[in-house]
Amino acid sequence: MKGKSNSIKKIGILTDYNGNTNYGGVLQAYALQKIISSFGYGCEQIQYKFIISQKQKIQKSLYYFCARSFDEKIDLIKLWIKNGFKINKKKRVECDEIVQERNKKILLFSEGIPHTKTIYYSNTISSINGKYDAFVVGSDIIWLPERVLFQNDKVFFLDFVRNGRKIAYAASTGVSKLPHRFEKEVRRDLAGFDRLSVREKSMASKIERLSEKEVASVLDPTMLISSKDWLDLFEIQEKNEEYIFCYFLGRDKKSRLISRKISEKKGQRLKVLRYANGRYCDVDDGFEADYVDTIDPREFVETVLNSSLVITDSFHGIAMSIVMGKEFLAIEREKESRVSFNSRINDILATFDLRDRKIHDLDEAIKVLEKPIDYQDLESRLVELREYSLDWLKNSLE
């Protein structure tokens, strides 16, 4: 990842960096900074923190609750009761301790990514004008509609920028359908960008319509770095161990049951990262597995690398599996929160012609695993998309 020296421009990156304890979110922030630096630019993450008021939280919760069907409302109430009254207090304390230890390690890793010393807020972010020659917003779910609709926050649309080039790299809305009011709110902001790209190909035409600009579909930053470069950057080695890595952000029993059955069938132990979404999840209990609950982002990549199979409902779990050339199964996350993020998984699988890797039951999983992924053909596709994405980003900054 070598680039020409360029002492003229300084780049400010805006993504979910400050306080982010999600592996994928942190790794994409790390990767984008590394890539832009390799082009010869000085760049850093801009620490931005949004404070959401209690009133905004209530408005958002009420909106999504009212938008649900009657049956969905009943299911949600049952979940609230279960989470509030039926959780073993000892288990909750254990979970909190695990999450705290993991978050500490992830945040320590994040500290190593070049970033502003100052933490900016919605009422102070405009003071950063003039510090950078260009702003790059992305990647990951920075354009989630609820941020605009209920938090009145358009910082990730660079509405505060008065001078400097405005670029969106691999931005994601996280959802497949955009609310009309959201489209109306961001239309002018999108038109103000110099270059636009999105991570999900299915969203490109919608952003083109709103911005009236050409919109590229590019790879997530984690996929811009080759497996060899990841190993070099993190100083890790491939060991080819025989274990199945389970990484689930959702709370459904199905994914855990399928994992157990595949483990039994293959005769391989499980490595499980419990409470990945930062909250107690009872279906994570009872695994006969090696727990890797408190690994840092470097160890996360290493765990994917040395697995024989990854089973996940995470976009970045899939992305890193593809980069590392690993067998994987994608399990669609059940809609249990305010919005469904499954469109991201569908999109990445379609991009690499791996739709069959999304499974719904054990029989389907066993059938899929009988046909290994052709990584020789897939690697050619990955290299092609990586070169296109790197060229797009490099040309946008020149």
Side-chain angles (χ1 to χ4, degrees):
M1 296 190 301
K2 293 181 179 180
K4 63 182 181 180
S5 175
N6 190 330
S7 59
I8 298 173
K9 289 187 177 180
K10 188 172 183 181
I11 315 297
I13 304 172
L14 257 175
T15 187
D16 273 332
Y17 168 77
N18 178 262
N20 195 336
T21 54
N22 173 274
Y23 290 105
V26 171
L27 286 169
Q28 64 84 20
Y30 171 89
L32 187 57
Q33 195 280 329
K34 281 289 183 184
I35 291 296
I36 294 177
S37 292
S38 76
F39 294 158
Y41 298 105
C43 71
E44 62 186 1
Q45 292 286 344
I46 299 170
Q47 290 208 76
Y48 172 67
K49 186 175 183 178
F50 180 78
I51 306 298
I52 181 169
S53 69
Q54 190 62 32
K55 181 180 178 182
Q56 289 169 326
K57 288 180 181 178
I58 293 171
Q59 287 176 334
K60 184 171 65 173
S61 297
L62 283 174
Y63 173 85
Y64 283 112
F65 182 78
C66 293
R68 293 173 181 268
S69 67
F70 177 78
D71 289 341
E72 287 176 331
K73 288 173 183 173
I74 295 298
D75 290 341
L76 184 60
I77 291 170
K78 288 179 180 178
L79 183 63
W80 287 341
I81 294 171
K82 178 182 177 182
N83 289 343
F85 301 105
K86 293 188 177 181
I87 293 176
N88 183 304
K89 288 184 179 179
K90 184 178 178 181
K91 288 288 185 181
R92 188 194 290 272
V93 171
E94 180 187 359
C95 168
D96 289 345
E97 290 174 349
I98 286 170
V99 171
Q100 286 174 17
E101 179 63 23
R102 178 169 68 225
N103 289 352
K104 206 180 296 181
K105 290 183 178 181
I106 295 175
L107 292 173
L108 182 62
F109 174 89
S110 292
E111 275 295 309
I113 303 172
H115 58 276
T116 61
K117 291 181 180 179
T118 302
I119 297 176
Y120 296 92
Y121 299 87
S122 57
N123 63 341
T124 63
I125 189 73
S126 61
S127 67
I128 211 165
N129 276 290
K131 186 175 180 181
Y132 304 101
D133 298 291
F135 293 85
V136 177
V137 62
S139 171
D140 221 358
I141 309 177
I142 52 168
W143 287 350
L144 187 63
E146 69 178 49
R147 281 182 166 162
V148 173
L149 298 180
F150 303 108
Q151 300 172 21
N152 195 29
D153 181 9
K154 295 200 286 183
V155 167
F156 290 109
F157 287 90
L158 302 181
D159 66 336
F160 65 91
V161 175
R162 299 293 171 263
N163 48 66
R165 196 165 177 79
K166 299 202 289 188
I167 300 160
Y169 181 80
S172 175
T173 62
V175 295
S176 57
K177 186 177 180 181
L178 301 178
H180 176 70
R181 188 157 68 89
F182 170 79
E183 292 187 347
K184 186 178 178 181
E185 287 280 348
V186 303
R187 187 185 299 271
R188 180 179 293 181
D189 298 304
L190 288 170
F193 275 81
D194 294 285
R195 297 294 299 276
L196 284 163
S197 68
V198 293
R199 190 176 66 183
E200 280 75 51
K201 189 175 181 179
S202 58
M203 188 53 58
S205 61
K206 297 173 185 177
I207 300 300
E208 278 189 349
R209 173 175 55 81
L210 292 174
S211 65
E212 298 183 351
K213 290 178 177 285
E214 183 179 351
V215 177
S217 173
V218 294
L219 290 178
D220 184 86
T222 57
M223 306 187 85
L224 298 180
I225 299 177
S226 69
S227 58
K228 180 183 182 303
D229 284 336
W230 275 116
L231 268 61
D232 290 344
L233 287 167
F234 284 175
E235 298 180 346
I236 55 180
Q237 294 182 342
E238 190 167 8
K239 299 175 184 176
N240 291 318
E241 298 180 47
E242 294 294 314
Y243 63 80
I244 300 167
F245 178 39
C246 298
Y247 177 53
F248 301 119
L249 294 169
R251 303 165 64 92
D252 59 292
K253 293 181 180 179
K254 179 180 67 177
S255 56
R256 279 72 171 179
L257 177 62
I258 290 173
S259 299
R260 290 190 185 98
K261 294 297 184 181
I262 292 175
S263 171
E264 293 170 4
K265 184 172 180 61
K266 291 175 71 68
Q268 295 180 357
R269 74 187 192 280
L270 296 173
K271 279 196 176 183
V272 177
L273 200 159
R274 294 177 297 172
Y275 321 132
N277 64 2
R279 301 188 303 275
Y280 177 73
C281 181
D282 61 346
V283 294
D284 278 342
D285 293 334
F287 267 111
E288 290 186 10
D290 297 332
Y291 296 132
V292 288
D293 303 327
T294 60
I295 55 177
D296 65 17
R298 174 193 167 280
E299 293 167 325
F300 178 87
V301 173
E302 187 175 30
T303 304
V304 172
L305 170 70
N306 288 314
S307 66
S308 60
L309 173 67
V310 176
I311 308 178
T312 186
D313 61 3
S314 154
F315 173 90
H316 283 105
I318 295 169
M320 292 308 299
S321 297
I322 292 172
V323 170
M324 297 298 166
K326 310 307 295 187
E327 291 292 324
F328 72 89
L329 292 174
I331 301 181
E332 190 168 88
R333 210 180 305 175
E334 288 186 0
K335 185 179 178 182
E336 56 201 18
S337 59
R338 293 180 295 270
V339 291
S340 172
F341 296 133
N342 287 317
S343 60
R344 301 178 301 153
I345 288 178
N346 296 334
D347 217 286
I348 190 173
L349 294 178
T351 296
F352 292 97
D353 197 20
L354 293 171
R355 296 177 185 84
D356 65 328
R357 289 281 132 177
K358 188 173 79 170
I359 54 96
H360 302 87
D361 55 47
L362 180 62
D363 290 340
E364 195 174 3
I366 292 170
K367 184 178 179 181
V368 167
L369 289 175
E370 290 173 352
K371 185 181 178 183
I373 298 171
D374 181 1
Y375 269 106
Q376 186 173 354
D377 183 57
L378 190 148
E379 181 66 22
S380 299
R381 174 67 173 155
L382 177 57
V383 169
E384 177 188 347
L385 291 174
R386 181 181 292 142
E387 289 177 352
Y388 170 80
S389 300
L390 288 169
D391 285 344
W392 186 93
L393 180 56
K394 187 181 293 185
N395 292 334
S396 296
L397 292 169
E398 290 178 348

